[in-house]
């Protein structure tokens, strides 16, 4: 009778250990799947910023992963309200993209006055007085959780900066 009880206890312990181990494996697999989940999120921003010389009409943003990098596409239009005919966005405003108190890098170098000045560069594209010009910029994110702040500071130095916040979660 004692042997039967011992065999029963050993079997019970074995089943308990196997059940605990498979539970740990399941939770570990779920955590790994969460980490491997790729970022791919379209974010409707739909905010307008009004300044004396120009307006920003924000459309959307898209956060995604490509080639192992976390990227953020920004799409907006800028309206030339009071700048001379043929002015550029670069002349109208300073623009910072901040995440975790760190300025993010525009991966296509479009804000660099010594960089690409072709028709693909929306920052240096001439905009007629009263005209509406589309802008698409891509920034490399620091992470996929923390918010991103877009700071527009008019170059006239007579107006304050305005901020658009994008939540990635």
């Amino acid at each position: 009778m004692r042997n039967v009880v011992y065999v029963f206890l050993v079997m019970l312990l074995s089943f308990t250990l196997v059940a605990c181990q498979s539970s740990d494996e399941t939770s570990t697999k779920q955590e790994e799947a969460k980490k491997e989940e790729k970022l791919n999120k379209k974010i409707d921003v739909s905010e307008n910023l009004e300044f004396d010389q120009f307006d920003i009409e924000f459309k959307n943003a898209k956060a995604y992963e490509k080639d192992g990098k976390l990227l953020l596409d920004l799409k907006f239009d800028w309206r030339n309200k009071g700048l001379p005919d043929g002015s550029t966005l670069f002349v109208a405003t300073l623009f910072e993209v901040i995440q975790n108190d760190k300025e993010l890098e525009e991966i296509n170098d479009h804000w660099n006055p010594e960089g690409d000045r072709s028709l693909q560069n929306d920052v240096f594209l001439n905009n007629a007085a009263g005209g509406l010009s589309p802008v698409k910029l891509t920034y490399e994110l620091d992470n996929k959780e923390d918010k991103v702040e877009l700071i527009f500071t008019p170059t006239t130095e007579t107006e304050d900066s305005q901020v658009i916040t994008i939540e990635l979660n």
Side-chain angles (χ1 to χ4, degrees), residues 17-55:
L17 287 173
V18 168
C20 288
Q21 185 178 9
S22 73
S23 172
D24 287 345
E25 287 176 6
T26 303
S27 64
T28 302
K29 287 179 184 175
Q30 288 172 344
E31 288 173 15
E32 287 175 7
K34 220 177 201 182
K35 285 180 184 176
E36 292 177 9
E37 188 177 303
K38 289 210 175 233
L39 178 65
N40 188 12
K41 183 177 182 182
K42 188 171 182 179
I43 305 158
D44 183 30
V45 180
S46 298
E47 285 192 46
N48 294 333
L49 304 178
E50 293 185 14
F51 298 96
D52 289 341
Q53 303 289 320
F54 66 96
D55 290 339

Side-chain angles (χ1 to χ4, degrees), residues 55-107:
D55 290 339
I56 299 294
E57 299 172 16
F58 227 94
K59 297 194 179 297
N60 61 53
K62 181 180 179 186
Y64 60 99
E65 289 183 53
K66 184 177 180 183
D67 298 329
K69 293 182 179 181
L70 300 172
L71 301 176
L72 179 69
D73 284 349
L74 304 173
K75 291 183 182 178
F76 60 92
D77 294 330
W78 81 278
R79 182 172 305 279
N80 181 355
K81 291 192 321 190
L83 295 165
D85 197 37
S87 292
T88 66
L89 183 62
F90 186 81
V91 169
T93 187
L94 303 175
F95 183 59
E96 296 173 281
V97 179
I98 308 291
Q99 186 181 36
N100 286 334
D101 297 322
K102 176 182 168 189
E103 188 168 359
L104 301 181
E105 181 181 339
E106 204 283 323
I107 65 168

Side-chain angles (χ1 to χ4, degrees), residues 121-143:
N121 187 338
D122 300 330
V123 174
F124 287 94
L125 195 61
N126 292 335
N127 192 358
L132 188 66
S133 183
V135 178
K136 180 181 180 247
L137 301 169
T138 302
Y139 286 82
E140 185 171 355
L141 293 167
D142 188 47
N143 63 64

